[in-house]
Amino acid sequence: MDINIDIPFRLNFNHLDGDTQEKLMEQSKKEVEQKCGSEMKAYAQENHLDYQEILEEEAIKNLYNYKFMFTI
């Protein structure tokens, strides 16, 4: 379940507040849902798991695939 992004995210090192982190997480969730949302929903339903929890775990994993560029 790998999602790769070729364009690096440009972040200001001094501006990594909660809002910025939340925006990155929401974007990651959208990407994961687009790529494999229906499969994850079926998996969650078959195994009696919380879909939102699975989505969040996969979104966190997806963030590790992002390329970040920091300006200081």
Side-chain angles (χ1 to χ4, degrees), residues 1 3-4 6 9-10 17 20 23-27 36 38-39 42 44-45 49-51 57 62 64-66 68 71:
M1 218 183 282
I3 299 172
N4 293 321
D6 295 330
F9 286 91
R10 297 181 188 275
D17 61 1
T20 302
K23 286 178 188 176
L24 288 171
M25 182 61 129
E26 288 302 315
Q27 182 170 347
C36 51
S38 59
E39 296 159 355
Q45 195 171 35
L49 300 171
D50 180 20
Y51 171 72
E57 289 174 7
N62 184 50
Y64 287 106
N65 293 322
Y66 283 6
F68 295 97
T71 55

Side-chain angles (χ1 to χ4, degrees), residues 22-55:
E22 186 62 32
K23 286 178 188 176
L24 288 171
M25 182 61 129
E26 288 302 315
Q27 182 170 347
S28 183
K29 283 182 182 180
K30 287 178 186 176
E31 290 174 7
V32 170
E33 272 191 308
Q34 286 177 342
K35 176 121 180 148
C36 51
S38 59
E39 296 159 355
M40 287 190 327
K41 284 179 185 176
Y43 176 80
Q45 195 171 35
E46 289 172 14
N47 295 289
H48 308 287
L49 300 171
D50 180 20
Y51 171 72
Q52 291 300 321
E53 190 173 309
I54 293 171
L55 176 61

